[in-house]
Amino acid sequence: MKSVFLILFSFVFITALHAQTASGAKGKITGKVTDATTKQPVDYATVSVFKQGATSPFNGISTDPKGNFSINNIPAGEYKITAEFLGYQKAVIEHVIVKDGAVSLGEIKLAPTANELKGVTITAKVPTVENRIDKMVYNPQNDLSAQGGVAIDVLKKVPQITVDIDGNVELQGNANIRFLINGKPSSIFGASLADALASIPASQIKSIEVITSPGAKYDAAGTGGIVNIILKDSKVQGVNGSVNLSAGTRRENGSFNLNARKGNFGVNAFFSGNAQINTNAPNTRNRVSTDSAGRQTTLFQQGSNNFRRNGYESGINFSWDITPKDQLTAGVGFNHFGNHGNGITNQDQSVVDAAGNTVSDIRSIRNSSSKFNGTSTDVNLNYKKTFAKEGQELDVLYSSSFGSNSFSSFQRQDYESGITSSGISNNNPGKDRETDISVDYTQPVSKSFTLETGGKLVFNHINNNVITDTLFGGNAFVPNPNQTYGFTYDRKVYAYYVSASASVFNKFLDIKAGLRDEYTTTKADFQGVSIPSYNILAPSLVFSHKFGDGSESLKLSYIRRIQRPDYGDLNPFLNISDPHNINTGNPNLRPEKGDNFELGYNKSYDKGANINIAAFYRRNTDDIQQFTTFYSTFDANGTTYTDVSLTQRYNIGSEERIGINLYGSIPVTSKLSLRTNMIFSDRRSTNPGFANVSAFAYRLNLNAQYSFGHDLSAEFFGNYNSSQKGIQGTNPKFVFYNFAMRKMFWNKKASIGLTATNPFAKYVSQSSSTFGSNFYQTNVRLVPVQSFGISLSYKFGKLEFKKDREKDKNNDQDNGGGDNGPQSEKGK
């Protein structure tokens, strides 16, 4: 708890220190933005406030449906004000003097640039990283090195996230992350997270939200936090879209996006697909074990594995503004992904007794293959109601995800010494369905106090079957009834929350506090499995303070989260593709509970530089970890295997992690910009019955981007993940780097890009170790990551920037207003 008190003390100290210098006269700037031709208000126009002479704004706001705006808490001084909206010329007002009180700019008239454009020529840029009170947002529009890649490649750039060479993702060192697509759950993540993330092309991603301190409105699932992947869409009037294609020595993918919007109705459709070309990865494993009689067995395995992966996703979304205050959206998505691996392994198993005499020396060759396929269909329907009072709204959401997946494996071992060949073939089809129904209501009580409340029902159903055949007499595979069975799992979650946000002490401190109650019932139809119902109270508390002009902020947060085991954790299927290394799920897993504290500091500078520092402390109980147990003989439902390492997930003790994340973005010159993200953390695991473990780990990366002019730019990205000690060994380090160039042409409607990943080394060597009370094992893998690729992108369509005069007229007669006008999509 010393770490918690240190973070709390630091927050109070820094806040108090800045309070001594943040005093002074504060004012506000008001006005109205209108169309210079039609005299109609321009809703959702962007109004920005610059310090006089600065190039980057420090404050800003969007106009309301009547074109009005009011920006509060502006320190006394001289400023430049800009107002802009897609399809209009920017309006600039210089030398605005603010003193104690309100400054009215009156009516700001925007002159239209054109009623129609023949092509898409939007050049507005958003920051690569945006820091908000409850999340960080990564915008990959200008990410050159991820072009032609997939979601995994984009996540490697995101602050506070680490990704290893196998696609395993951690947020502030915690792998228990709740992944969402467009704010909604999907069963696509339940079966194989790495495959799911490898099926989403980077060209389809609009932004990635990292939420380390989710409020009570969010599900309590995910002790690490939430990662929300936002896919591209458009709310601009007209028809437009984009096509992206890439080809390379390791991966190929393509995506198509089409948007159409007329008046109050909009449609978005997309399709994307990718394939990882077959790669060969050599590997070596050496294990030394001792049985109860003192005999020592050495198992040496050397071989290679061919691996390929593919996937595609598609969907269609609809939006309908029924009235100025009623909006209905709906969507259907279909996803598919899979992988296939096969290989040959040479094995040498030697046994010596306690005196050192050779008992046996068996050589064999193992042929193996595995195949995984997963599909997911997601449907959602959302109704949103706004009221006359600004900020008051009702949100009702229904979403359902239907997943179907199948894993199959085959292995056969042939021996040199005349021993009868052995083998196994199995198939594990399964289905996963999740249905969510939620109601959220927001009620502003005053300008500085808002209440939120709501409830949610989550129904999750999993079932699968295991069908196994074994090699009989070395000749034919016959059904094995002892390893053929079914498994059904039902889980229901009933949730309710209340949350309040307030600005106190004359807007000196913003507070958001909430409490979420989730009651879970679980039923597992599997022998020996009985899971009791449980209830969890998940509080959340966030303090935030902005210093001076708002370019500097400090945040302190506390949240409690829960990690319910997912499909892959629970599935009791025995993966015996390697009889000496068996993996299985654990249907008896209890949920992991986590308490997270975070202290964050953010500073933006006039020239565009930005730094973000986040110190965190996390404590998990009933910690879910992978654990390997060695058996001299292992009985798998009637079949006996020898010299087996069984890997399974368990609730093991508790884990504490304290660390710091440093992010910085610096425009060195007008052409050169640098970004870096660094994570340093120390993990302490307390494991009853096992030795406690303390381990330090870090991640460093650097991104450099240079603009040559004439729409030509280049980028370098390098990433280093250190090795880390675990409760049973050491995980490998990881080095990754790439180069990229992009040339835009045809008025930025088209681009061509070149990428090179680890161009100077074909393989990345991964060395790891695993040990237990009676065994020690080392593993070396050579993972092929070197690749060269080319990508093409083209944006097409016709955009109409005309305001709907009839709708604006209705708005003028309505005191409330709503989301009626066309909105621009920045960065496209």
Side-chain angles (χ1 to χ4, degrees):
M1 294 298 293
K2 292 181 179 179
S3 304
V4 178
F5 290 120
L6 178 61
I7 292 175
L8 181 61
F9 174 77
S10 301
F11 175 80
V12 175
F13 176 77
I14 297 175
T15 303
L17 179 65
H18 279 79
Q20 301 300 318
T21 59
S23 61
K26 299 289 181 67
K28 68 177 181 178
I29 300 174
T30 63
K32 183 175 183 178
V33 180
T34 62
D35 186 309
T37 303
T38 66
K39 311 301 181 184
Q40 297 294 331
V42 179
D43 50 346
Y44 301 102
T46 300
V47 180
S48 302
V49 182
F50 299 74
K51 291 181 180 179
Q52 195 67 46
T55 58
S56 298
F58 77 91
N59 207 336
I61 200 172
S62 295
T63 57
D64 64 18
K66 293 184 176 298
N68 297 312
F69 66 90
S70 178
I71 308 174
N72 301 315
N73 202 32
I74 304 295
E78 184 177 355
Y79 300 96
K80 177 180 75 175
I81 312 299
T82 66
E84 54 189 319
F85 186 76
L86 201 61
Y88 292 90
Q89 299 178 26
K90 181 191 295 186
V92 181
I93 304 173
E94 301 277 2
H95 307 294
V96 176
I97 306 298
V98 175
K99 297 180 180 179
D100 189 9
V103 175
S104 176
L105 301 180
E107 190 173 344
I108 303 175
K109 299 178 180 180
L110 297 184
T113 55
N115 285 333
E116 293 186 355
L117 296 180
K118 295 182 179 180
V120 181
T121 56
I122 307 172
T123 58
K125 292 178 62 178
V126 294
T128 301
V129 175
E130 299 177 78
N131 184 58
R132 302 176 186 173
I133 185 173
D134 61 342
K135 67 184 121 181
M136 294 190 74
V137 182
Y138 182 80
N139 300 296
Q141 289 93 332
N142 297 303
D143 190 341
L144 305 188
S145 57
Q147 60 188 343
V150 293
I152 284 291
D153 301 305
V154 180
L155 284 167
K156 292 174 182 175
K157 305 285 196 69
V158 178
Q160 307 193 67
I161 285 181
T162 57
V163 182
D164 71 13
I165 200 166
D166 296 313
N168 300 308
V169 184
E170 291 185 344
L171 175 55
Q172 290 185 347
N174 192 319
N176 295 324
I177 305 169
R178 174 72 159 171
F179 275 89
L180 305 173
I181 295 181
N182 293 332
K184 304 174 185 68
S186 173
S187 60
I188 189 177
F189 295 122
S192 175
L193 178 60
D195 283 302
L197 294 174
S199 71
I200 304 174
S203 58
Q204 194 64 31
I205 299 174
K206 179 181 179 180
S207 62
I208 295 180
E209 298 178 344
V210 178
I211 310 172
T212 56
S213 304
K217 186 175 182 178
Y218 293 95
D219 289 340
T223 53
I226 296 174
V227 172
N228 185 22
I229 300 175
I230 307 295
L231 303 181
K232 289 181 177 178
D233 63 356
S234 176
K235 296 183 179 179
V236 177
Q237 294 284 331
V239 178
N240 61 89
S242 63
V243 178
N244 299 272
L245 300 171
S246 67
T249 58
R250 193 165 57 93
R251 182 185 289 123
E252 298 173 340
N253 65 51
S255 66
F256 173 77
N257 195 296
L258 179 66
N259 306 289
R261 188 170 183 87
K262 181 67 175 178
N264 295 338
F265 188 76
V267 179
N268 164 254
F270 65 91
F271 177 86
S272 60
N274 71 88
Q276 179 179 314
I277 300 172
N278 184 61
T279 56
N280 183 271
N283 58 82
T284 301
R285 175 180 288 140
N286 189 49
R287 183 174 67 218
V288 178
S289 58
T290 305
D291 64 14
S292 57
R295 294 189 305 177
Q296 180 175 289
T297 300
T298 300
L299 175 67
F300 180 75
Q301 298 175 303
Q302 186 175 46
S304 63
N305 185 60
N306 295 297
F307 184 82
R308 56 185 181 271
R309 174 183 276 148
N310 65 82
Y312 63 85
E313 60 172 0
S314 61
I316 185 167
N317 300 293
F318 304 91
S319 64
W320 179 27
D321 295 332
I322 305 172
T323 72
K325 295 186 178 65
D326 298 273
Q327 183 185 57
L328 189 68
T329 59
V332 178
F334 183 77
N335 311 285
H336 164 81
F337 55 88
N339 63 63
H340 185 202
N342 63 84
I344 298 177
T345 303
N346 293 296
Q347 303 180 131
D348 185 358
Q349 183 180 13
S350 61
V351 181
V352 297
D353 60 21
N357 301 311
T358 300
V359 176
S360 63
D361 189 358
I362 303 173
R363 298 176 186 271
S364 62
I365 296 178
R366 176 168 54 87
N367 286 273
S368 63
S369 67
S370 64
K371 188 175 183 179
F372 175 81
N373 281 291
T375 61
S376 172
T377 301
D378 301 329
V379 297
N380 64 83
L381 181 65
N382 183 216
Y383 169 71
K384 186 175 183 178
K385 170 76 173 180
T386 57
F387 299 86
K389 190 170 187 177
E390 183 180 356
Q392 183 184 6
E393 63 182 41
L394 174 69
D395 207 339
V396 181
L397 172 65
Y398 166 85
S399 67
S400 195
S401 184
F402 308 84
S404 176
N405 54 77
S406 176
F407 177 83
S408 60
S409 65
F410 162 86
Q411 67 84 17
R412 174 180 175 133
Q413 296 189 110
D414 296 300
Y415 302 88
E416 293 182 356
S417 56
I419 301 175
T420 302
S421 298
S422 63
I424 189 171
S425 174
N426 50 38
N427 186 32
N428 176 217
K431 293 185 178 180
D432 182 0
R433 176 176 179 178
E434 179 175 330
T435 299
D436 295 25
I437 302 172
S438 63
V439 178
D440 300 288
Y441 177 72
T442 303
Q443 176 65 57
V445 179
S446 66
K447 289 185 177 181
S448 59
F449 184 73
T450 300
L451 282 174
E452 293 179 284
T453 189
K456 187 173 185 178
L457 303 176
V458 181
F459 305 110
N460 190 230
H461 175 77
I462 297 172
N463 71 74
N464 69 74
N465 296 285
V466 177
I467 303 154
T468 304
D469 297 332
T470 55
L471 188 63
F472 180 75
N475 296 315
F477 284 90
V478 297
N480 185 337
N482 293 325
Q483 294 188 44
T484 299
Y485 52 86
F487 171 62
T488 302
Y489 187 92
D490 284 284
R491 181 167 60 203
K492 297 180 176 65
V493 181
Y494 306 89
Y496 173 76
Y497 76 91
V498 61
S499 176
S501 56
S503 182
V504 298
F505 306 127
N506 196 24
K507 299 183 179 181
F508 176 79
L509 192 66
D510 294 320
I511 302 175
K512 189 167 187 176
L515 180 66
R516 187 178 185 91
D517 185 16
E518 293 190 349
Y519 180 74
T520 305
T521 65
T522 306
K523 180 181 179 181
D525 182 17
F526 195 73
Q527 183 178 1
V529 176
S530 178
I531 305 174
S533 301
Y534 55 90
N535 190 79
I536 181 174
L537 291 175
S540 61
L541 182 61
V542 179
F543 298 96
S544 178
H545 172 68
K546 289 185 177 180
F547 303 108
D549 58 10
S551 62
E552 189 178 9
S553 63
L554 189 69
K555 179 185 77 172
L556 176 66
S557 66
Y558 162 74
I559 58 169
R560 165 162 271 213
R561 308 281 293 169
I562 186 173
Q563 177 64 29
R564 299 180 182 90
D566 60 21
Y567 178 91
D569 297 324
L570 299 166
N571 191 350
F573 166 67
L574 290 165
N575 180 358
I576 315 179
S577 54
D578 178 357
H580 295 292
N581 296 277
I582 300 176
N583 295 275
T584 185
N586 182 0
N588 286 301
L589 281 176
R590 300 185 303 277
E592 174 183 295
K593 295 174 282 293
D595 293 285
N596 304 339
F597 296 83
E598 183 177 340
L599 174 64
Y601 172 77
N602 188 80
K603 171 69 174 177
S604 298
Y605 296 87
D606 292 341
K607 300 298 183 181
N610 177 262
I611 61 170
N612 181 273
I613 304 172
F616 56 87
Y617 169 80
R618 297 172 175 268
R619 186 176 188 274
N620 297 337
T621 55
D622 282 332
D623 194 43
I624 299 177
Q625 295 192 45
Q626 182 173 283
F627 193 83
T628 300
T629 305
F630 176 79
Y631 296 92
S632 297
T633 58
F634 177 75
D635 179 75
N637 300 317
T639 302
T640 300
Y641 298 93
T642 61
D643 200 17
V644 175
S645 288
L646 178 68
T647 300
Q648 196 172 14
R649 293 174 77 81
Y650 297 92
N651 297 103
I652 303 177
S654 64
E655 177 183 278
E656 291 181 305
R657 185 181 292 267
I658 184 169
I660 188 169
N661 186 92
L662 307 173
Y663 169 82
S665 175
I666 304 173
V668 181
T669 69
S670 60
K671 296 181 177 295
L672 175 65
S673 62
L674 300 176
R675 294 199 314 272
T676 185
N677 186 59
M678 297 176 284
I679 301 178
F680 305 90
S681 66
D682 184 68
R683 185 188 66 193
R684 295 185 293 272
S685 298
T686 303
N687 315 294
F690 305 97
N692 297 338
V693 176
S694 180
F696 179 76
Y698 59 94
R699 172 226 181 169
L700 310 171
N701 73 34
L702 175 66
N703 194 98
Q705 190 170 108
Y706 188 83
S707 175
F708 296 95
H710 305 289
D711 294 327
L712 176 65
S713 54
E715 183 179 277
F716 166 79
F717 174 71
N719 183 84
Y720 177 82
N721 286 8
S722 71
S723 62
Q724 185 174 30
K725 183 180 178 182
I727 62 173
Q728 277 193 293
T730 303
N731 298 323
K733 65 181 180 181
F734 172 42
V735 180
F736 177 89
Y737 60 95
N738 58 22
F739 302 89
M741 295 190 70
R742 181 173 68 185
K743 168 66 177 176
M744 304 183 73
F745 47 95
W746 293 347
N747 202 19
K748 296 187 177 181
K749 292 186 295 183
S751 68
I752 181 171
L754 301 173
T755 57
T757 301
N758 284 45
F760 306 115
K762 183 177 180 180
Y763 295 102
V764 169
S765 179
Q766 297 282 275
S767 299
S768 61
S769 63
T770 308
F771 62 85
S773 60
N774 57 349
F775 78 99
Y776 183 83
Q777 177 175 295
T778 58
N779 301 277
V780 178
R781 289 189 304 148
L782 298 180
V783 183
V785 294
Q786 184 187 70
S787 68
F788 302 90
I790 182 172
S791 62
L792 303 172
S793 176
Y794 177 67
K795 299 177 182 178
F796 62 90
K798 184 179 182 181
L799 301 182
E800 299 178 4
F801 301 109
K802 296 181 291 185
K803 299 286 288 179
D804 191 324
R805 291 184 176 86
E806 185 64 30
K807 190 191 303 180
D808 288 327
K809 182 179 179 181
N810 293 337
N811 286 346
D812 287 339
Q813 297 171 354
D814 196 303
N815 293 327
D819 185 0
N820 304 308
Q823 298 183 32
S824 64
E825 182 186 31
K826 295 182 179 180
K828 288 195 68 179

